[in-house]
Amino acid sequence: MVSQHIMASRATLLILAALVGSCTQFVDAVSIDVRKKDLPAEKSEKIERYMPILCSPLPAPLSPSSSVHALRPSDITAVYTLGRSFAYKDEVSRLVSGLSELLSVYNPGVITQHVDQTSLQPRSLVEEVEELSLSHQVTGWKLVLLFVPADSLCTCSPHLVADVEAIVQEVEAALQILQNKLHRTLVHVAVWSTNHDNNECECMRSKSINQRLHKATLLKTLQDSLNDALEIPKWRSKSEAFTVVLQSVPVILELNSENTWPDLSQLAVQLWTNLLQPMTGQAEVMDNNYITIPCPTEERPFLRTQVNSPADREKTAYSKASALIDAVMGTEIPCADRSPSPTTPTSVHELRPGDIKVVAAVGDSLTAANGVGAKKDNILLVINEYRGLSWSIGGDENITTVTTLPNILKQFNPSLTGFSEGIGDENSPKAFLNQAVPGATSSDMVQQVRVLVDKMKSDSGIDFNNDWKVITMFIGGNDLCDFCTDSIFYSARNVVTRIRQALDILHSEVPRAIVNLVELLNIVPLRDLHRDNTLNCPTWFVRLICPCILKPLDGSSELQKVIDFNRAYQQAMRELIDSGRYDTHNNFTVVLQPFFREVFLPLQENGRPDRSYFSPDCFHLSQRAHTLMARALWNNMLEPVGNKTFTQDFTVSIDLKCPSETNPFFKTALNSNYTFPGPTPTPAPATNWGSDFSCVNTAPSNSVPTSAHRVRPADIQVVAALGDSITAGFGAKAKNLLQLPTEYRGVSWSIGGDKTLETVTTLPNILKKFNPEIRGMSKGQGKLQTGFNMAVSGAKVAEIPGQVRKLIDAMIKDSAVDFQNDWKLVTLFIGGNDLCQYCNDRASLSPQNYSHHLMTSLDLLYEELPRTIVNILEILEIEGLRRIKRDSLGCNVLQKYVCSCFLFPGEDSPELAEIKRINRELQILTEKLVYGGRYDGREDFTVVVQPFLKNTIVPLNADGKPDTTYFSEDCFHFSERGHADMAVALWNNMLEPVGKKQTYNNFTNARNNIKCPTEDHPYIFTNANSFPSATTTTAPTTHSTASPHISTTHGTALPLTSDCKDKVPAWLAAVLAVVGLLIGSAVTWLLLSCRAKKSKRMMSTAVETKMTLF
């Protein structure tokens, strides 16, 4: 059936296509991040790009092409889909519909059809093809998309090769039928897969299996097998009316974190890109956050076939010729003195190479040696763990043919043991003390070390207490590959903490050992391999196994974050060893070996990267690289600490160093006379939660302003607050449950005035920097010095009108307040108790009643309080409170009773869904009330919503867990630290324009977060002064009894316009319309002509658009 989705959107696409023919590039601004919504401004600016909307139209041919090798997108009249996975046929349909939308720009009449799959059982590919050959009725050119599902295959199955071959044969049989029965047909074959676990693949459930690597290898194996089968001449040159092309990148549907399928636009554009002739020098875009839509050009106007796009075969030939060469991997040992110490040394600082009896290693796939022994460009060999060739622990053959650290050491002690041999995983007998596991991260080190220690203790050939051991640990690469998925879990601090835990076990349990901690390599240069598309590196493959490294765009802040994390890992490793914690006794030490700190990508004489140093996946290293790594590690071990080589230039030959008579020992910190700098000083605990102040524009207005929209911070004379226990400072400084009921009003975020800003951060203390004479703040504890802090612990919104009445009366009676002339700042924050008890009284605590009581309160302020700005905060998003846990009586017991309606319901219960809906509804009603125009009738009064709590982000500590130091003893109310950050967030909201205010909290407790008024806008932002074109409302009023102004407008203020009473005759409107149409047609013709000329000079046009294109 024809996709209704395409028909619905085709008109819009055609209209857009008609608009892009101008000589001046027609652009639009896109500021939507495909990963998150409501990002801070600096994030949205990074993704804001200007771009052409769609491709420029090319001159249409006079007649459809007679050759499949000269097909243009406009020649395609029908798109058919075959091989849809029975489990994901809906996703495939959506994907193909997206592709058809792009084709419809060139041929609006293109139709999309899927072979009917209404049966309960999936049919074979051949059965689908037979049905298509009988049912199709299109005589024009057809595009057939044949998807080859890969999810049924099992990478670790011994029958994988046969299973792949069976799929290839089925595809060939289906293509033979299509060739015989369908004419005027272009077939594009694409491997299809998802990131779902294959439950039928039993061996993939093993924890020792690197599932990501196996999955990627499976796809590449199937891709290569299909490529070999479709390279034969019968599919590319037998007929001008039929050909087959394999899409160069598999279609991989990835399930997102919410276990739902994402928008398929990126995959649709991937299909489109591989459907076209490739552009010269075209490189794969690395960032999924943008879509790049290539366009046909006059130089390359056709759909891709193997005849009109032979460059792929040239690339393959080049890459295979340059990839894996057979070279001698042995090393000459120039050392004359290879003797051990006269007697077994008792100190690790007097250890000669010949004294080493045992070698061992832990780590990831680089130590497990994945793909090291691959002698041809066969991706399936990357799964093999060539442990006998591993740089730090392999023991295959001898030093004349295989260079590894053990083979070097065997020249000093032929009785060396512990090294790994052959091919196999860590559990194979020949793996021995090579306990590295492919895919391992720092969190796996403790387990690997425990297994290693047990093996050394239990092996009869090892004298555990007396034999000297060299243990090499190399880890962190996979942590870096995943850091962008959880930057806290994979932070340098946490990664090195896990490494430290593993080293601590070795330190406490393994005697007579020197441990090499190899500093994490600089992994960023790896990206250069994937910039040169002539190398034919499987970039999509590497993105599956190491997404965070290849994803960022060059020059982006995301790439800088990769670099920063890489450096932070290295720095943290150095600091760990420099702490000296592993030099507490003479029979154990850990030495940092830094030869990988700076890596220079190997280049050929022509300047291209040399693939011979990499395995077939262009990610893991080949034996040639392992040879250089072994030499570099050996040399590092003989270099003094503090003066070790920290670069790895693969293009430079590395000669082995030798022990000398004056320096016969492996170098340690002690025998290098290296002085440990000691651990990085731990920052002193914060003694207060004050803030630094750097604003220079602190002067008041030249004269007292008469408009609320021209008030500077220094113009504020009086502060006041309304609310509940949060504003009352309930438990803010409590250190135990007995102190919890105390109201510490002096540190309350919006009204407290204890001490100064340098030690106590509150809104009044910030304002005191502008006006030291400000009045109204509360101080101390209890109700002795409440000032104009009218908040009452436990209050609900129904009680706020009473607080307002009390506040107005108090101000009138206060002789220090000039009631009519002083500018007042009132902060209202309420609703927590209404929401927390909603489920106990839905009628009286309904959102409608909430809005009514709030309106009553604001009406009273509006009617009776002159010269006032009211800050009103939306109720915070309370859901995050469910995550706040602490092992204490207050948190375990009191918290749930303080807010039972939010904390008692189950995680997916309808009760929780209801209370979350009410939470959001209260926020919406607050905005509607404030910005509905009701309080716009007075020039000296305004209400502003400060929304920083609208989307609450739970503050996290360095371990990625909720930071309970922001909360009081009951894990509900805020601590003084929480109040300080709320004060800064409120102040910063006040200096942000309406519509651009930060809608989330960013609790960091940095002392320098306070924003400053600017010269261009020195005023507190209101709805009226947030928009340059907006005019103020009515003239200033001097009385205080105005009624609220009811307006039918909502949202932002707009410029006032006069009523237009003059009418235009109908006949004149008609004439103008016709004239405009004629002029528009002429201009459009000229612009299209100009655009067509310009397109001849362009090789390609890229279009970046939203992920939600379709």
Side-chain angles (χ1 to χ4, degrees):
M1 292 179 61
V2 177
S3 170
Q4 294 180 349
H5 180 63
I6 291 182
M7 296 300 292
S9 59
R10 184 168 296 154
T12 302
L13 287 167
L14 291 176
I15 292 171
L16 288 174
L19 292 174
V20 295
S22 69
C23 288
T24 303
Q25 191 176 39
F26 182 41
V27 298
D28 192 12
V30 176
S31 58
I32 295 181
D33 191 312
V34 303
R35 296 163 294 189
K36 293 181 182 177
K37 295 181 180 179
D38 294 324
L39 283 182
E42 62 268 25
K43 289 285 186 182
S44 63
E45 289 174 0
K46 295 174 186 174
I47 59 172
E48 185 170 354
R49 300 290 171 90
Y50 286 88
M51 61 207 69
I53 299 240
L54 287 173
C55 303
S56 302
L58 295 176
L62 298 177
S63 60
S65 173
S66 59
S67 170
V68 72
H69 307 299
L71 277 183
R72 300 169 184 261
S74 57
D75 293 325
I76 299 298
T77 58
V79 179
Y80 296 99
T81 308
L82 297 170
R84 292 186 298 159
S85 171
F86 190 74
Y88 306 110
K89 60 183 181 180
D90 292 339
E91 284 72 29
V92 177
S93 297
R94 289 169 50 207
L95 175 61
V96 176
S97 294
L99 176 64
S100 297
E101 286 187 41
L102 288 167
L103 281 169
S104 70
V105 174
Y106 300 90
N107 180 6
V110 68
I111 62 173
T112 303
Q113 294 186 356
H114 307 290
V115 175
D116 184 41
Q117 285 199 349
T118 56
S119 62
L120 295 178
Q121 295 297 325
R123 288 172 295 170
S124 69
L125 184 58
V126 171
E127 290 173 330
E128 288 188 47
V129 170
E130 290 283 5
E131 180 180 333
L132 174 61
S133 64
L134 295 174
S135 63
H136 86 92
Q137 299 178 348
V138 176
T139 58
W141 283 104
K142 297 166 283 293
L143 172 64
V144 175
L145 296 172
L146 194 159
F147 292 101
V148 183
D151 288 344
S152 62
L153 295 171
C154 185
T155 318
C156 46
S157 167
H159 310 296
L160 175 62
V161 175
D163 293 339
V164 169
E165 183 61 30
I167 289 179
V168 173
Q169 291 176 0
E170 184 182 19
V171 171
E172 289 183 301
L175 292 174
Q176 189 64 61
I177 298 172
L178 289 174
Q179 188 179 45
N180 294 337
K181 297 188 177 182
L182 257 66
H183 301 290
R184 308 190 81 185
T185 300
L186 170 62
V187 181
H188 267 244
V189 178
V191 174
W192 167 275
S193 180
T194 69
N195 63 348
H196 255 182
D197 295 333
N198 187 348
N199 294 326
E200 298 178 1
C201 193
E202 185 70 29
C203 56
M204 287 291 284
R205 298 177 186 175
S206 170
K207 292 183 178 181
S208 64
I209 291 289
N210 184 348
Q211 296 191 12
R212 199 154 55 181
L213 176 61
H214 276 68
K215 182 79 171 182
T217 303
L218 167 64
L219 293 178
K220 188 65 168 64
T221 300
L222 182 56
Q223 183 84 14
D224 289 348
S225 298
L226 285 168
N227 185 67
D228 292 341
L230 299 181
E231 278 283 320
I232 61 176
K234 68 178 286 188
W235 300 124
R236 67 172 184 263
S237 60
K238 184 175 182 180
S239 169
E240 290 291 311
F242 183 92
T243 196
V244 180
V245 180
L246 175 67
Q247 293 240 332
S248 60
V249 179
V251 177
I252 304 171
L253 185 63
E254 297 189 19
L255 200 65
N256 61 29
S257 58
E258 286 78 31
N259 289 327
T260 58
W261 298 116
D263 182 81
L264 299 174
S265 303
Q266 183 76 47
L267 293 179
V269 174
Q270 175 186 311
L271 285 176
W272 168 257
T273 302
N274 290 312
L275 196 63
L276 300 177
Q277 286 181 287
M279 304 301 159
T280 303
Q282 177 177 314
E284 181 177 344
V285 174
M286 292 184 180
D287 197 333
N288 272 339
N289 299 322
Y290 309 104
I291 296 178
T292 300
I293 306 179
C295 302
T297 64
E298 289 194 5
E299 292 78 10
R300 294 176 177 268
F302 306 128
L303 300 180
R304 183 187 313 216
T305 70
Q306 296 186 62
V307 171
N308 66 30
S309 302
D312 287 344
R313 294 195 303 279
E314 294 174 4
K315 285 195 306 181
T316 301
Y318 169 78
S319 67
K320 287 185 176 179
S322 66
L324 301 163
I325 61 174
D326 288 321
V328 175
M329 302 297 176
T331 296
E332 181 180 350
I333 306 293
C335 309
D337 185 4
R338 306 182 188 182
S339 59
S341 300
T343 59
T344 301
T346 58
S347 171
V348 71
H349 310 296
E350 298 175 353
L351 200 61
R352 300 170 185 258
D355 297 327
I356 301 299
K357 301 289 184 66
V358 181
V359 287
V362 291
D364 53 27
S365 56
L366 287 182
T367 302
N370 281 83
V372 173
K375 297 299 183 184
K376 55 183 178 179
D377 201 3
N378 181 352
I379 199 73
L380 197 58
L381 297 178
V382 175
I383 295 178
N384 290 347
E385 299 168 25
Y386 295 89
R387 292 178 182 263
L389 304 177
S390 175
W391 59 293
S392 63
I393 189 62
D396 277 359
E397 302 180 21
N398 56 62
I399 194 62
T400 62
T401 55
V402 176
T403 301
T404 65
L405 178 63
N407 280 354
I408 297 173
L409 285 170
K410 280 192 281 186
Q411 298 300 304
F412 294 82
N413 178 13
S415 300
L416 186 77
T417 188
F419 49 81
S420 52
E421 296 177 290
I423 302 173
D425 64 21
E426 73 279 8
N427 297 315
S428 61
K430 289 190 175 182
F432 203 7
L433 299 185
N434 181 352
Q435 287 305 299
V437 178
T441 64
S442 58
S443 58
D444 299 304
M445 286 300 94
V446 167
Q447 176 62 21
Q448 287 189 28
V449 163
R450 291 197 182 281
V451 172
L452 176 64
V453 172
D454 289 343
K455 282 183 175 290
M456 287 193 292
K457 287 180 177 179
S458 61
D459 191 275
S460 59
I462 297 175
D463 186 341
F464 183 74
N465 290 313
N466 296 309
D467 286 348
W468 280 103
K469 313 161 193 73
V470 167
I471 303 170
T472 302
M473 177 185 290
F474 183 46
I475 198 66
N478 290 308
D479 297 82
L480 195 59
C481 284
D482 285 342
F483 88 91
C484 61
T485 65
D486 190 338
S487 58
I488 291 181
F489 183 82
Y490 293 111
S491 69
R493 173 186 179 274
N494 288 332
V495 166
V496 172
T497 294
R498 294 188 281 268
I499 292 174
R500 188 197 70 217
Q501 291 168 349
L503 291 176
D504 285 352
I505 294 173
L506 294 174
H507 183 218
S508 63
E509 297 187 24
V510 181
R512 295 198 169 182
I514 181 171
V515 177
N516 292 319
L517 177 61
V518 178
E519 190 172 308
L520 179 65
L521 79 161
N522 178 14
I523 200 171
V524 175
L526 176 72
R527 291 166 54 93
D528 292 341
L529 270 177
H530 300 272
R531 289 191 182 96
D532 189 340
N533 62 349
T534 64
L535 297 178
N536 205 28
C537 278
T539 299
W540 62 266
F541 176 97
V542 178
R543 291 185 66 174
L544 284 177
I545 58 179
C546 191
C548 299
I549 302 303
L550 291 191
K551 179 181 176 183
L553 293 171
D554 287 339
S556 66
S557 60
E558 286 74 17
L559 178 57
Q560 185 60 48
K561 191 173 182 180
V562 174
I563 297 171
D564 292 344
F565 261 70
N566 204 153
R567 296 299 185 206
Y569 281 17
Q570 294 174 332
Q571 178 66 28
M573 289 181 181
R574 293 197 293 272
E575 290 177 356
L576 172 63
I577 305 308
D578 277 348
S579 69
R581 67 184 289 124
Y582 302 114
D583 280 81
T584 58
H585 45 262
N586 282 336
N587 70 352
F588 184 94
T589 193
V590 180
V591 181
L592 187 79
Q593 310 297 2
F595 67 90
F596 251 162
R597 184 180 303 167
E598 298 290 347
V599 175
F600 298 94
L601 196 69
L603 302 176
Q604 300 181 94
E605 292 182 357
N606 59 13
R608 286 172 167 168
D610 192 342
R611 272 198 66 182
S612 67
Y613 288 90
F614 297 88
S615 67
D617 63 357
C618 289
F619 180 74
H620 292 91
L621 300 176
S622 68
Q623 187 180 355
R624 192 175 186 187
H626 275 248
T627 297
L628 296 183
M629 290 167 63
R631 294 171 184 168
L633 174 59
W634 169 264
N635 286 350
N636 256 184
M637 293 174 68
L638 293 175
E639 293 170 337
V641 174
N643 196 27
K644 291 180 181 289
T645 302
F646 57 84
T647 60
Q648 177 65 62
D649 189 343
F650 284 101
T651 62
V652 178
S653 177
I654 299 177
D655 296 325
L656 285 190
K657 295 185 177 183
C658 293
S660 64
E661 289 187 10
T662 55
N663 292 290
F665 310 126
F666 284 133
K667 287 298 182 178
T668 66
L670 185 64
N671 65 30
S672 300
N673 295 320
Y674 179 77
T675 302
F676 287 120
T680 303
T682 302
T687 57
N688 61 70
W689 301 114
S691 296
D692 297 329
F693 184 81
S694 59
C695 304
V696 294
N697 186 13
T698 60
S701 301
N702 292 330
S703 60
V704 178
T706 57
S707 170
H709 315 296
R710 292 293 182 269
V711 174
R712 300 170 185 250
D715 296 328
I716 300 294
Q717 299 288 336
V718 180
V719 289
L722 310 163
D724 54 24
S725 55
I726 300 295
T727 302
F730 185 95
K733 298 174 70 173
K735 303 301 181 186
N736 52 60
L737 288 180
L738 290 177
Q739 297 175 350
L740 180 63
T742 304
E743 294 178 346
Y744 298 90
R745 293 177 179 260
V747 298
S748 174
W749 59 294
S750 64
I751 190 65
D754 277 358
K755 300 182 181 179
T756 64
L757 179 62
E758 285 69 28
T759 55
V760 177
T761 303
T762 65
L763 179 62
N765 279 353
I766 297 174
L767 286 169
K768 279 194 286 186
K769 292 294 184 179
F770 295 85
N771 177 13
E773 304 302 322
I774 198 165
R775 297 177 294 278
M777 74 282 288
S778 54
K779 296 183 178 181
Q781 303 176 14
K783 299 179 181 180
L784 295 178
Q785 302 180 72
T786 58
F788 294 139
N789 183 350
M790 301 300 164
V792 177
S793 295
K796 300 184 182 68
V797 70
E799 300 166 51
I800 296 301
Q803 291 187 24
V804 171
R805 180 76 271 161
K806 185 178 178 182
L807 172 64
I808 295 172
D809 292 344
M811 285 188 176
I812 293 174
K813 294 177 182 179
D814 194 323
S815 59
V817 175
D818 186 339
F819 186 74
Q820 292 295 334
N821 297 310
D822 283 348
W823 277 102
K824 309 160 194 72
L825 179 67
V826 181
T827 301
L828 169 57
F829 181 42
I830 196 65
N833 292 306
D834 298 79
L835 189 63
C836 285
Q837 299 177 36
Y838 170 79
C839 62
N840 301 322
D841 190 355
R842 286 176 171 81
S844 63
L845 299 177
S846 68
Q848 292 73 25
N849 283 343
Y850 177 88
S851 181
H852 170 74
H853 293 306
L854 197 60
M855 182 177 67
T856 302
S857 304
L858 293 176
D859 286 356
L860 190 57
L861 290 169
Y862 180 81
E863 292 166 359
E864 299 193 24
L865 207 57
R867 295 197 173 182
T868 300
I869 297 176
V870 178
N871 287 325
I872 184 167
L873 274 77
E874 296 172 304
I875 182 174
L876 77 163
E877 188 181 38
I878 298 185
E879 183 183 7
L881 186 67
R882 295 167 63 90
R883 296 180 56 195
I884 308 301
K885 304 293 181 185
R886 186 164 59 203
D887 190 16
S888 67
L889 181 63
C891 289
N892 293 337
V893 177
L894 293 182
Q895 186 194 45
K896 288 187 176 182
Y897 289 97
V898 172
C899 195
S900 58
C901 293
F902 228 116
L903 298 179
F904 274 128
E907 196 58 45
D908 296 316
S909 64
E911 288 78 13
L912 180 59
E914 178 190 26
I915 199 71
K916 288 166 65 175
R917 176 181 59 80
I918 297 299
N919 196 159
R920 187 62 70 186
E921 191 170 342
L922 296 182
Q923 294 178 333
I924 294 171
L925 288 174
T926 301
E927 289 188 17
K928 284 184 176 180
L929 173 62
V930 172
Y931 294 134
R934 185 178 182 87
Y935 306 106
D936 292 344
R938 282 174 46 196
E939 185 70 10
D940 72 334
F941 184 95
T942 193
V943 185
V944 185
V945 174
Q946 310 297 0
F948 72 90
L949 288 176
K950 182 176 183 178
N951 301 293
T952 304
I953 300 174
V954 175
L956 303 177
N957 59 24
D959 296 321
K961 297 178 180 179
D963 192 340
T964 56
T965 62
Y966 284 91
F967 299 91
S968 188
E969 291 298 303
D970 58 358
C971 287
F972 178 82
H973 292 90
F974 286 105
S975 66
E976 184 181 358
R977 184 181 189 185
H979 277 265
D981 266 19
M982 286 179 68
V984 173
L986 172 60
W987 168 259
N988 289 346
N989 259 181
M990 291 169 60
L991 297 184
E992 295 165 341
V994 174
K996 294 185 178 180
K997 292 181 182 290
Q998 184 166 294
T999 60
Y1000 61 92
N1001 60 292
N1002 185 24
F1003 288 173
T1004 60
N1005 267 138
R1007 292 186 60 95
N1008 59 348
N1009 279 347
I1010 293 177
K1011 290 186 176 182
C1012 297
T1014 64
E1015 290 188 7
D1016 293 336
H1017 201 289
Y1019 313 116
I1020 296 171
F1021 274 97
T1022 67
N1023 192 39
N1025 68 25
S1026 293
F1027 307 95
S1029 61
T1031 60
T1032 57
T1033 54
T1034 60
T1037 179
T1038 57
H1039 59 79
S1040 59
T1041 58
S1043 299
H1045 172 69
I1046 309 301
S1047 172
T1048 57
T1049 61
H1050 299 279
T1052 60
L1054 298 174
L1056 296 179
T1057 58
S1058 61
D1059 294 334
C1060 183
K1061 297 182 180 179
D1062 295 332
K1063 296 184 178 179
V1064 178
W1067 64 267
L1068 180 58
V1071 169
L1072 290 174
V1074 172
V1075 172
L1077 180 61
L1078 292 174
I1079 294 173
S1081 299
V1083 172
T1084 300
W1085 178 81
L1086 289 172
L1087 293 176
L1088 285 172
S1089 299
C1090 180
R1091 184 73 171 203
K1093 291 178 182 178
K1094 183 179 179 181
S1095 66
K1096 293 180 180 180
R1097 302 190 300 269
M1098 298 176 64
M1099 291 298 294
S1100 65
T1101 302
V1103 179
E1104 289 188 357
T1105 187
K1106 304 176 190 177
M1107 286 290 287
T1108 54
L1109 179 65
F1110 306 111

